[in-house]
Amino acid sequence: MPSAIPPYQHIVTEIRTRILTGELRPGERMPSIRQIAARWGVAVATATKVMAALRDEGLVETKVGAGAVVTAGRGQPAARQRQAGAGIPKQALNRKHTLRTAIAIADREGLDAVSMRRIAAEMGVGPMSLYRHVAGKDELVMQMTDEVFGEAELPDPGPDGWRAKLELISRRQWELCRRHLWLPRAVSFTRPLLAPNIMEHTEWTLRALDGLGLPMTTRIREALALHALVVSAALSMAQEAEAEQETGVTLDRWWLAQQERADALLGTGRFPLLAAIPEETVTDMDGLFEYSLARHLDGFAVMLRNRP
């Protein structure tokens, strides 16, 4: 008779045993999600469940620059650790605190680490109690995203001129993406999130184009194109943070490891223009964002001037 235990639980049991027997010691790096998927022949989503379960049990924690490591207080569930001190009251269970807890998890460990069970463990409550505030993971992510968009202050009416306004909202959204690296993954252009703070950003952008004589089709396409510019640049930044967390290898260390190969290729003389690029230019995401924004708005200005 086939086992009723989900496949990921078998992997959790094996890793838990290695931790509790001391085979994996406190502070030692855990296999990454991709390594778990490859070693046990499971999907990345299953490997993600494994890591989430081990975190929920307090066996694994995330260290910046090292990725997932065996926690010093191994075997003590995370919620119990946080409540170990006498007289520390549980925080009130409400929608705002639930969202802020979920956002804090996503900020530290990425969007895949967020689950109702994980949030409940962080808050020291039962998972079912959270469903009074959010219906499930999809709604949770939507509300997290809307909560984050509400952090950006959009002045009314804002600076003079359409260009200054578009620069302002683009930079505010870029700041949000830098602060919450999971945010670009939560945004969809084909299935937009119908939530008030997100919609306010789009409404504000459309108002910034008032008085230019543009049809609404052009205005909404410009609003979406501008947001796509921010999200595209932010995705690269988010992917780098995810790679660093999973592997423990910083971008500087990665480039050092590639230096010999880069020198060999550039030293052939086949790529003289690439060889002339300053190293810091490639990794300067803020510079890339500002350049992309400026060139996009330059093109928009030309379109405005050339209208019949």
Side-chain angles (χ1 to χ4, degrees):
M1 180 180 295
S3 171
I5 301 176
Y8 85 94
Q9 285 287 8
H10 291 290
I11 305 172
V12 170
T13 299
E14 182 175 336
I15 296 176
R16 182 195 300 118
T17 299
R18 294 177 63 194
I19 292 173
L20 295 179
T21 59
E23 183 181 345
L24 287 172
R25 297 183 301 278
E28 187 172 342
R29 281 197 58 210
M30 289 286 299
S32 70
I33 288 173
R34 289 191 179 92
Q35 288 170 335
I36 292 173
R39 177 173 175 180
W40 277 275
V42 296
V44 169
T46 300
T48 300
K49 285 185 178 180
V50 171
M51 195 65 75
L54 292 168
R55 288 192 181 103
D56 287 349
E57 293 184 22
L59 296 169
V60 171
E61 60 185 343
T62 300
K63 296 286 189 182
V64 176
V69 300
V70 178
T71 186
R74 63 180 189 271
Q76 188 178 22
R80 198 184 310 154
Q81 289 181 27
R82 277 182 289 278
Q83 296 171 31
I88 300 178
K90 292 182 182 178
Q91 299 201 43
L93 178 60
N94 56 48
R95 177 183 170 277
K96 183 82 170 179
H97 183 52
T98 300
L99 293 180
R100 279 293 148 190
T101 301
I103 290 167
I105 293 170
D107 286 349
R108 292 194 309 267
E109 302 170 31
L111 201 55
D112 288 339
V114 177
S115 67
M116 303 297 271
R117 180 181 175 191
R118 177 68 192 283
I119 297 167
E122 290 277 336
M123 298 176 69
V125 299
M128 294 306 296
S129 64
L130 299 181
Y131 288 93
R132 294 198 298 269
H133 305 286
V134 287
K137 178 70 177 283
D138 289 344
E139 183 183 333
L140 173 65
V141 172
M142 180 184 73
Q143 292 192 25
M144 289 167 60
T145 305
D146 195 53
E147 180 79 7
V148 163
F149 267 79
E151 295 174 4
E153 181 183 350
L154 299 178
D156 185 17
D160 293 335
W162 64 265
R163 180 160 187 149
K165 288 183 172 68
L166 296 186
E167 287 174 340
L168 182 146
I169 194 165
S170 298
R171 287 174 179 145
R172 295 286 165 87
Q173 291 178 0
W174 178 250
E175 290 167 5
L176 292 180
C177 288
R178 285 190 63 88
R179 194 180 311 146
H180 307 285
L181 293 174
W182 53 271
L183 187 58
R185 286 183 54 198
V187 173
S188 171
F189 293 96
T190 55
R191 300 184 181 189
L193 301 176
L194 301 179
N197 291 326
I198 299 170
M199 293 170 71
E200 178 58 32
H201 276 245
T202 305
E203 184 78 10
W204 198 95
T205 305
L206 294 174
R207 284 200 303 270
L209 300 174
D210 279 345
L212 298 178
L214 296 172
M216 186 53 70
T217 299
T218 301
R219 291 166 70 175
I220 189 59
R221 284 177 176 164
E222 172 58 21
L224 292 175
L226 204 60
H227 189 50
L229 184 153
V230 176
V231 169
S232 296
L235 275 172
S236 294
M237 188 166 54
Q239 288 164 355
E240 168 51 36
E242 181 179 313
E244 179 176 336
Q245 187 178 70
E246 227 178 67
T247 65
V249 178
T250 65
L251 186 57
D252 287 342
R253 286 173 58 196
W254 185 88
W255 274 110
L256 282 174
Q258 303 299 314
Q259 194 65 54
E260 184 176 345
R261 176 174 172 77
D263 290 344
L265 285 170
L266 297 176
T268 63
R270 291 177 58 194
F271 313 105
L273 298 180
L274 289 174
I277 298 175
E279 291 183 13
E280 65 274 9
T281 303
V282 180
T283 57
D284 180 11
M285 294 307 301
D286 288 316
L288 174 61
F289 163 71
E290 287 293 342
Y291 180 89
S292 301
L293 177 61
R295 299 295 75 77
H296 172 83
L297 296 179
D298 287 347
F300 188 71
V302 171
M303 185 204 74
L304 291 176
R305 288 199 302 268
N306 294 340
R307 279 182 306 149

